[in-house]
Amino acid sequence: MAETLQNLALGFSVALQPPVLLYAFIGCVVGTLVGVLPGVGPLAGISLLLPATFGLTATNAIVMLAGIYYGAMYGGSTTSILMRIPGEAASVMTCIDGYAMARKGRAGAALAIAAIGSFIAGTVSVVALMLLAPPLANFALRFGPPEYFALLLLGLLVLAYMSGGSMVKSLAMAVLGLLLGMVGIDQMSGYFRFAYGVMELGDGLGVVPIAVGLFGIAEVLATAGQEVPPKVLKPKLRELLPSRQEWRDSVMPIGRGTVLGFLIGIIPGSAHIIASFVSYAVERRLSRHPEEFGQGAVAGVAGPESANNSATSGAFVPMLALGVPSGPIPAVMLAALMVHGVSPGPLLIKQQPELFWGFIASMYVGNLMLLALNLPMVGIFVNVLRVPYSFLYPSIIMFCVVGVYAVNGSVVDVWIALIMGALGYILRKLGFETAPIVLGAILAPMIELALRQSLAMSDGQYAIFVSRPISGTLLAFGAALLLLNLVSWMVRGPDWRRRIPLDEKGENL
Amino acid sequence: MLTTDRIGGSALCLLALFVMWESRALPLGTWRQPGPGYFPVLLAALLLILGALVWAMGGGAAPVAGVGWGEARHALVILAVSAFICLGLERLGYRLTMLSALLVLVWLVERKSLLAAAVFAFALSFGSYYLFDTLLRVALPRGPFGI
């Protein structure tokens, strides 16, 4: 414990340096704006701003990108409460009771509870991240290629299992992503695969063009022709204080949301989205007045908002400790670190303690900044929504182009983003999820390398994956998930995962 | 009935077959010592199975006719303008390409006034160039006369 505190002091000595504070602030502001704007989620926001971090030090870059991530979680609640439009997917559940509270004249209280819940969850989960990541990193030193192969495979299976809707469709999308990751030079033999003479494809399809295309451009294509959003409810500053009863009603949901969110965050998948959904379901189940849910229940705002923020920190645990991204957003951040020559993984904490502990400490500081930003300045952030969409989406297109081009200075990447945008648009129309594609594309080279290295180690014996205790256990978990899904399909009752899309459409409330 | 899942499943199967066909030039290696074509073919086979499952279980999915394509024309125009950006970026330079693309989107596609569109396009294309290229040192392409 004393060592942890000593390390934390080192972290604060880094995080409180003026440049780091400045980049944390910029990240929080940009993240809040990204969260407020419907359609521009944290993934698109981080991808678009990735090139702007190239000139920064690794610490400044990761601090700024993390600020965008958790800033978006805070910002997403604003439009959910004031307009019933989720700024980003994790805020869908907040729309229900947050907007109902706003219509009852409690918009200020709902915003305050969401912000304070997010702050508490953010801070507590950073403590958990701080305590959990180092021992996990030590444990990960025992991992060899078979364990990494099993872990990566389990990650894809969990993502597919946790995704709303059909597991088969999600798995198909993950495999599509893995196939996209096959483009480029084979790491072990040097063969060009599916490059068709385009030299720029030698390094493979980049994470940024795929993510920006599937999330940024596809979103613009799907929403550009739509009507203007509804009127914004504007709370006054003096209305921001919740009543004593509202405080009492929110304490336990915030606590439960924090724990639940962090635990779900560690598991691979779109953690923050799932965390807010599960938290809402838990609060409704535990409530003595479940009939109030949907009519402005405080717990329906406090729980999900705490959970989605807590999941954000949870998602950093496997990324920093194992070097394995638990979802598309940590994957893009992992790519950002790699651009700066930093390899996240078990040795990061030992080899670059300033970066790791500076990042942890900056998350405490960032959470405080967000609390200070979100409550008094909510009116300013909401004004962004007054920009007509006919001016907003061309700007988003422009940011997408700059963001993608700047990574490698290559027009081929912009073409890839465009093709991915068209693909993402069609897949959305057909009801397929696109997040597994991004994760698959990122994990593909790692999975293939781990598989081939494992076989080289075992002289071609596939039993190596089940004979080693860690990889065997991980694979058993994966098989159990597949079995669970099969049982659920045979029983035919829609389980909680199937209800996510229904709830998002408001058909199951 | 033609449903979204049936269409999606068929497309995935076709893609899987295409990948298998394209992988024929890559050495497969052996079961014990995989070559560069092994993993792509394995994945394509998996995609074929999953695509077939999506197709087989997709009878009860939403009918294709019920999918709203109201914004598709708009989306196609945006895609065309984005393709123009790709073509023009290194020929005309960032500023001229973006200026013309934004002008077309706001003035011709969104039917805003020419003045508003021109001011917006000019401010955004030149402003973003200044922000990214000059201030943030992200090299963006220049066109004729160094613009």
Side-chain angles (χ1 to χ4, degrees):
Chain A
M1 192 66 195
E3 192 189 346
T4 306
L5 290 175
Q6 205 175 3
N7 286 328
L8 195 61
L10 167 74
F12 274 108
S13 71
V14 176
L16 293 175
Q17 286 169 8
V20 182
L21 277 176
L22 175 70
Y23 286 110
F25 178 75
I26 294 172
C28 291
V29 173
V30 173
T32 308
L33 287 172
V34 160
V36 166
L37 285 174
V40 190
L43 181 61
I46 290 171
S47 306
L48 297 180
L49 284 153
L50 188 59
T53 66
F54 289 171
L56 309 179
T57 63
T59 308
N60 289 347
I62 192 74
V63 161
M64 188 168 124
L65 292 174
I68 297 173
Y69 189 12
Y70 47 75
M73 295 299 127
Y74 272 73
S77 60
T78 306
T79 45
S80 300
I81 291 167
L82 300 180
M83 300 171 71
R84 207 175 195 274
I85 293 175
E88 54 88 43
S91 305
V92 167
M93 302 318 291
T94 314
C95 280
I96 305 164
D97 286 285
Y99 189 70
M101 281 181 76
R103 287 181 64 183
K104 285 181 183 171
R106 303 300 298 153
L111 283 167
I113 287 168
I116 292 165
S118 297
F119 170 72
I120 294 170
T123 311
V124 172
S125 59
V126 171
V127 176
L129 166 67
M130 183 180 87
L131 297 175
L132 202 63
L136 188 64
N138 275 334
F139 178 67
L141 288 171
R142 293 187 221 164
F143 278 35
E147 285 75 20
Y148 269 104
F149 175 78
L151 183 69
L152 296 167
L153 198 63
L154 178 67
L156 285 175
L157 286 173
V158 175
L159 176 67
Y161 179 77
M162 290 291 196
S163 300
S166 149
M167 187 175 182
V168 175
K169 283 166 75 175
S170 299
L171 272 178
M173 290 300 99
V175 174
L176 178 61
L178 287 170
L179 275 173
L180 289 175
M182 292 292 103
V183 176
I185 298 172
D186 173 34
Q187 293 178 62
M188 288 184 82
S189 65
Y191 264 87
F192 259 77
R193 296 190 293 203
F194 314 110
Y196 302 103
V198 182
M199 289 307 288
E200 285 89 340
L201 291 182
D203 286 339
L205 302 180
V207 178
V208 176
I210 294 178
V212 168
L214 287 175
F215 293 94
I217 296 176
E219 184 68 36
V220 167
L221 296 178
T223 52
Q226 289 180 359
E227 295 299 313
V228 282
K231 199 175 154 236
V232 184
L233 299 169
K234 248 190 148 178
K236 294 187 179 75
L237 200 60
R238 64 173 181 275
E239 293 169 356
L240 284 172
L241 208 61
S243 66
R244 193 170 291 182
Q245 185 59 42
E246 284 167 338
W247 278 125
R248 267 202 294 268
D249 290 346
S250 61
V251 172
M252 288 312 287
I254 288 175
R256 283 189 289 263
T258 303
V259 176
L260 205 65
F262 185 78
L263 293 177
I264 294 174
I266 299 174
I267 304 167
S270 298
H272 51 285
I273 303 171
I274 297 158
S276 63
F277 179 84
V278 174
S279 168
Y280 189 85
V282 166
E283 293 309 326
R284 189 159 59 175
R285 184 67 57 88
L286 292 178
S287 173
R288 267 180 268 171
H289 303 285
E291 71 283 357
E292 285 179 4
F293 279 72
Q295 311 296 322
V298 175
V301 176
E305 275 304 312
S306 309
N308 72 32
N309 260 66
S310 189
T312 309
S313 306
F316 287 128
V317 174
M319 184 192 107
L320 292 169
L322 307 174
V324 172
S326 60
I329 300 172
V332 175
M333 295 184 67
L334 195 76
L337 282 175
M338 286 171 168
V339 167
H340 287 89
V342 177
S343 304
L347 296 174
L348 173 78
I349 303 170
K350 283 195 173 78
Q351 288 174 348
Q352 287 177 294
E354 292 87 4
L355 190 145
F356 178 81
W357 290 102
F359 171 61
I360 297 274
S362 79
M363 288 176 79
Y364 286 107
V365 180
N367 272 304
L368 263 175
M369 277 181 189
L370 279 166
L371 187 66
L373 269 175
N374 268 259
L375 288 179
M377 292 170 72
V378 67
I380 297 170
F381 286 120
V382 165
N383 277 333
V384 178
L385 292 162
R386 296 183 201 283
V387 177
Y389 204 65
S390 47
F391 286 98
L392 195 59
Y393 85 78
S395 318
I396 296 173
I397 293 271
M398 183 219 66
F399 277 110
C400 289
V401 171
V402 175
V404 170
Y405 180 84
V407 177
N408 291 316
S410 161
V411 177
V412 174
D413 281 352
V414 189
W415 277 112
I416 293 167
L418 200 57
I419 293 165
M420 288 297 143
L423 178 71
Y425 170 68
I426 293 168
L427 287 173
R428 282 172 59 145
K429 283 287 178 187
L430 295 178
F432 285 80
E433 282 207 45
T434 49
I437 301 179
V438 181
L439 196 62
I442 294 156
L443 298 185
M446 297 186 212
I447 290 188
E448 188 188 18
L449 191 66
L451 172 75
R452 287 163 76 180
Q453 281 178 336
S454 306
L455 290 177
M457 273 169 68
S458 66
D459 199 21
Q461 299 297 320
Y462 281 79
I464 191 171
F465 296 110
V466 285
S467 60
R468 290 166 68 117
I470 299 173
S471 64
T473 311
L474 293 170
L475 287 176
F477 269 123
L481 281 182
L482 281 176
L483 208 66
L484 262 177
N485 195 68
L486 192 68
V487 169
S488 135
W489 180 74
M490 283 163 74
V491 172
R492 271 282 178 199
D495 65 2
W496 64 273
R497 288 168 295 120
R498 282 177 181 273
R499 287 198 297 270
I500 293 177
L502 297 177
D503 282 339
E504 281 178 11
K505 290 175 195 158
E507 290 169 10
N508 201 33
L509 304 172
Chain B
M1 189 174 54
L2 204 56
T3 65
T4 50
D5 282 6
R6 286 267 157 94
I7 293 273
S10 312
L12 290 173
C13 289
L14 283 176
L15 177 71
L17 292 172
F18 173 76
V19 174
M20 284 179 181
W21 175 255
E22 286 296 309
S23 302
R24 70 195 187 283
L26 299 168
L28 268 179
T30 62
W31 177 248
R32 287 173 169 243
Q33 207 171 12
Y38 178 89
F39 208 53
V41 170
L42 187 74
L43 290 173
L46 199 57
L47 189 65
L48 189 66
I49 295 167
L50 289 167
L53 276 173
V54 171
W55 188 92
M57 295 176 358
V64 175
V67 178
W69 292 94
E71 75 294 328
R73 208 176 64 87
H74 216 103
L76 269 177
V77 176
I78 295 170
L79 270 177
V81 173
S82 307
F84 163 77
I85 294 174
C86 291
L87 291 170
L89 208 56
E90 288 184 339
R91 293 177 176 88
L92 297 173
Y94 173 81
R95 280 169 287 194
L96 284 182
T97 308
M98 212 47 91
L99 178 75
S100 9
L102 293 172
L103 197 63
V104 168
L105 281 177
V106 180
W107 182 41
L108 294 178
V109 180
E110 298 302 326
R111 313 278 168 126
K112 298 289 168 192
S113 77
L114 177 60
L115 181 68
V119 170
F120 171 76
F122 184 82
L124 204 61
S125 53
F126 280 74
S128 61
Y129 184 88
Y130 180 73
L131 174 70
F132 285 101
D133 188 280
T134 313
L135 292 181
L136 296 172
R137 309 276 167 93
V138 173
L140 293 173
R142 289 166 185 240
F145 315 112
I147 298 173

